[in-house]
Amino acid sequence: MAFLSDTLARVKPSATIAVTNKARELAAAGKDVIGLGAGEPDFDTPEHIRDAAKRAIDAGKTRYTAVDGIPELKAAICAKFLRENGLTYTPQQVTVGTGGKQILFNALIATLNKGDEVIIPAPYWVSYPDMVQLAGGTPVEVVAGLENNFRITPEQLEAAITPKTKWFIFNSPSNPTGAGYSRAELKALTDVLMRHPHVWVMSDDMYEHLVFDDFEFTTPAQIEPGLYDRTLTCNGVSKAYAMTGWRIGYAAGPVALIKAMANIQSNSTSNTCSVSQWAALEALSGKQDFLADWRRVFQGRRDLVVSMLNKATGITCPKPEGAFYVYPDISGCIGKATPAGVVITNDEVFATALLEEAGVAVVFGAAFGLSPNFRVSYATSDEVLREACARIQRFCASLV
Ligand code: GLU
């Protein structure tokens, strides 16, 4: 349509959102669909956090706030970075936005010029390349497959850096694979970055609290203090505290960048929801004991899903270190036909057939830059997961 902008040609609709919406529509139409598409915890936001929001409403905390966050929340974010990551930031180095998405968006719009390159390890969270392109930059994908446990090597990072590289986006544990970089693996990457002072680091730490077994979460500015002045450490309350709908993301980094991000935000949404900010303050500074319980629940679900998916014909499902996703490989299903006669030529066809013929919604791998795979979000009950995985097993067994 001639009316639409050239910018639109550079971006696809978010596949995670599209699958979630489709599953919701089918369920609303009375179809028996299990949604494993949305990356969102099934837990309710804890009561003490909800209560803080109610108190904020009753206290009239319902007006505009400072664009990039109320001082109380910024102080709590500084305390969180110190307590959990050993990182010292002042409130001037902190910004709060409408979910992790707006934070990343602000940072990219505020820094990218045409032709600037952004290194993105693949598989990547679906929106990174589109956001880079919307901001006028060029995404540079560095692929780490199953054989590398979905982790890029220092050699790959070194080879991807050019004089045009502006950012390296790092996400551990990862959406969509759940892969987490160990301290030593991350140090090997930060050593490379230390040799390239023009490259900035955007660390998306959204899954920090969702780590399993004895995996230790670390973040680049903590592992390599020499990167502190060129790292934007991004996080949010959505996944850790089951607060997806409240839309609170935050980041800390150099003051000039943080100011530039607030400038962008002041011209788009202004502050994120005032009530949500008071709820996030309680999330970050209130009790944290339930996080360990939730971790145990998620770990049990991971084990269940990994074990059941590995029993499905044609599927190989690695066991991730964190997040609430698995990213099984479906090479063994490609070329086969479904009972309805659909030939599975790629992972998008597989995901569509799985939804239509078996009633399970997953996100196809091509959306995350590595095929043939699909992403399962296992943030739902054991009972639902068992049924969904049994359906996937039956679907795979039915392929000929
Ligand atoms: N980050 C979540 C996901 O990957 C939420 C949807 C989105 O914003 O992409 O499913």
Side-chain angles (χ1 to χ4, degrees), residues 14 16-17 37-39 101 125-127 175 207 239 325 375:
S14 158
T16 51
I17 304 283
K101 271 180 157 165
W125 174 53
V126 62
S127 290
N175 179 1
Y207 297 92
K239 317 291 182 176
Y325 307 111
R375 186 189 80 171

Side-chain angles (χ1 to χ4, degrees), residues 279-359:
L281 168 60
E282 177 62 25
L284 294 178
S285 46
K287 63 180 175 190
Q288 307 287 313
D289 52 342
F290 58 94
L291 296 178
D293 299 334
W294 286 6
R295 253 196 303 276
R296 270 189 293 279
V297 172
F298 278 122
Q299 184 169 324
R301 292 169 175 178
R302 175 201 62 174
D303 294 344
L304 171 70
V305 168
V306 168
S307 132
M308 286 191 76
L309 289 182
N310 274 319
K311 288 185 188 124
T313 314
I315 289 187
T316 308
C317 184
K319 190 176 187 174
E321 290 75 25
F324 39 62
Y325 307 111
V326 290
Y327 198 66
D329 173 287
I330 56 161
S331 300
C333 301
I334 299 296
K336 293 185 177 173
T338 71
V342 175
V343 178
I344 298 181
T345 46
N346 59 41
D347 53 26
E348 188 165 1
V349 175
F350 176 93
T352 304
L354 184 67
L355 180 59
E356 282 168 4
E357 298 184 37

Side-chain angles (χ1 to χ4, degrees), residues 190-396:
T190 60
D191 284 351
V192 173
L193 294 163
M194 285 304 286
R195 293 198 287 275
H196 300 277
H198 67 292
V199 180
W200 283 53
V201 185
M202 191 177 292
S203 185
D204 178 352
D205 298 352
M206 194 57 88
Y207 297 92
E208 163 176 20
H209 287 289
L210 293 161
V211 293
F212 311 128
D213 305 315
D214 51 2
F215 181 81
E216 181 203 6
F217 170 84
T218 50
T219 188
Q222 167 194 25
I223 288 291
E224 177 47 79
L227 290 174
Y228 177 87
D229 288 335
R230 51 183 167 111
T231 297
L232 185 69
T233 305
C234 308
N235 213 317
V237 296
S238 294
K239 317 291 182 176
Y241 299 95
M243 293 178 68
T244 46
W246 301 78
R247 310 310 299 133
I248 297 282
Y250 59 86
V255 173
L257 173 61
I258 294 295
K259 274 196 182 150
M261 290 167 65
N263 176 348
I264 301 292
Q265 191 167 317
S266 74
N267 286 297
S268 55
T269 59
S270 291
N271 62 276
T272 187
C273 169
S274 58
V275 175
S276 295
Q277 293 187 61
W278 288 96
L281 168 60
E282 177 62 25
L284 294 178
S285 46
K287 63 180 175 190
Q288 307 287 313
D289 52 342
F290 58 94
L291 296 178
D293 299 334
W294 286 6
R295 253 196 303 276
R296 270 189 293 279
V297 172
F298 278 122
Q299 184 169 324
R301 292 169 175 178
R302 175 201 62 174
D303 294 344
L304 171 70
V305 168
V306 168
S307 132
M308 286 191 76
L309 289 182
N310 274 319
K311 288 185 188 124
T313 314
I315 289 187
T316 308
C317 184
K319 190 176 187 174
E321 290 75 25
F324 39 62
Y325 307 111
V326 290
Y327 198 66
D329 173 287
I330 56 161
S331 300
C333 301
I334 299 296
K336 293 185 177 173
T338 71
V342 175
V343 178
I344 298 181
T345 46
N346 59 41
D347 53 26
E348 188 165 1
V349 175
F350 176 93
T352 304
L354 184 67
L355 180 59
E356 282 168 4
E357 298 184 37
V360 180
V362 297
V363 187
F364 58 96
F368 305 103
L370 184 76
S371 294
N373 291 69
F374 64 91
R375 186 189 80 171
V376 163
S377 167
Y378 56 79
T380 186
S381 72
D382 284 11
E383 194 192 344
V384 170
L385 290 172
R386 244 183 236 112
E387 171 61 20
C389 291
R391 288 186 191 188
I392 295 172
Q393 287 175 351
R394 284 198 296 273
F395 177 75
C396 290

Side-chain angles (χ1 to χ4, degrees), residues 28-266:
K31 293 254 161 48
D32 173 19
V33 168
I34 302 180
L36 304 182
E40 113 174 302
D42 56 325
F43 300 121
D44 287 330
T45 303
E47 197 176 358
H48 65 287
I49 299 174
R50 301 199 307 263
D51 286 344
K54 291 176 197 166
R55 282 197 304 275
I57 293 174
D58 289 339
K61 311 276 193 199
T62 52
R63 299 181 187 279
Y64 290 134
T65 73
V67 164
D68 62 355
I70 55 174
E72 293 85 346
L73 178 55
K74 286 188 172 194
I77 290 167
C78 292
K80 172 261 176 293
F81 278 125
L82 190 60
R83 178 178 78 233
E84 296 182 341
N85 310 111
L87 289 171
T88 304
Y89 291 111
T90 62
Q92 295 71 30
Q93 291 176 281
V94 169
T95 187
V96 178
T98 306
K101 271 180 157 165
Q102 189 179 28
I103 294 292
L104 304 177
F105 210 87
N106 287 344
L108 293 168
I109 298 267
T111 54
L112 293 183
N113 291 314
K114 198 169 167 6
D116 285 344
E117 294 175 356
V118 178
I119 298 176
I120 305 176
Y124 45 72
W125 174 53
V126 62
S127 290
Y128 294 150
D130 291 286
M131 285 185 180
V132 168
Q133 272 168 318
L134 273 175
T138 305
V140 174
E141 294 175 21
V142 177
V143 181
L146 202 54
E147 64 293 345
N148 278 1
N149 297 318
F150 300 129
R151 294 193 265 282
I152 63 161
T153 61
E155 293 74 24
Q156 283 181 292
L157 177 58
E158 181 77 59
I161 294 173
T162 75
K164 289 184 171 170
T165 308
K166 200 135 199 186
W167 288 101
F168 167 56
I169 300 187
F170 180 73
N171 174 222
S172 164
S174 141
N175 179 1
T177 65
Y181 287 72
S182 70
R183 181 175 278 268
E185 286 163 342
L186 177 51
K187 180 73 173 67
L189 297 183
T190 60
D191 284 351
V192 173
L193 294 163
M194 285 304 286
R195 293 198 287 275
H196 300 277
H198 67 292
V199 180
W200 283 53
V201 185
M202 191 177 292
S203 185
D204 178 352
D205 298 352
M206 194 57 88
Y207 297 92
E208 163 176 20
H209 287 289
L210 293 161
V211 293
F212 311 128
D213 305 315
D214 51 2
F215 181 81
E216 181 203 6
F217 170 84
T218 50
T219 188
Q222 167 194 25
I223 288 291
E224 177 47 79
L227 290 174
Y228 177 87
D229 288 335
R230 51 183 167 111
T231 297
L232 185 69
T233 305
C234 308
N235 213 317
V237 296
S238 294
K239 317 291 182 176
Y241 299 95
M243 293 178 68
T244 46
W246 301 78
R247 310 310 299 133
I248 297 282
Y250 59 86
V255 173
L257 173 61
I258 294 295
K259 274 196 182 150
M261 290 167 65
N263 176 348
I264 301 292
Q265 191 167 317
S266 74

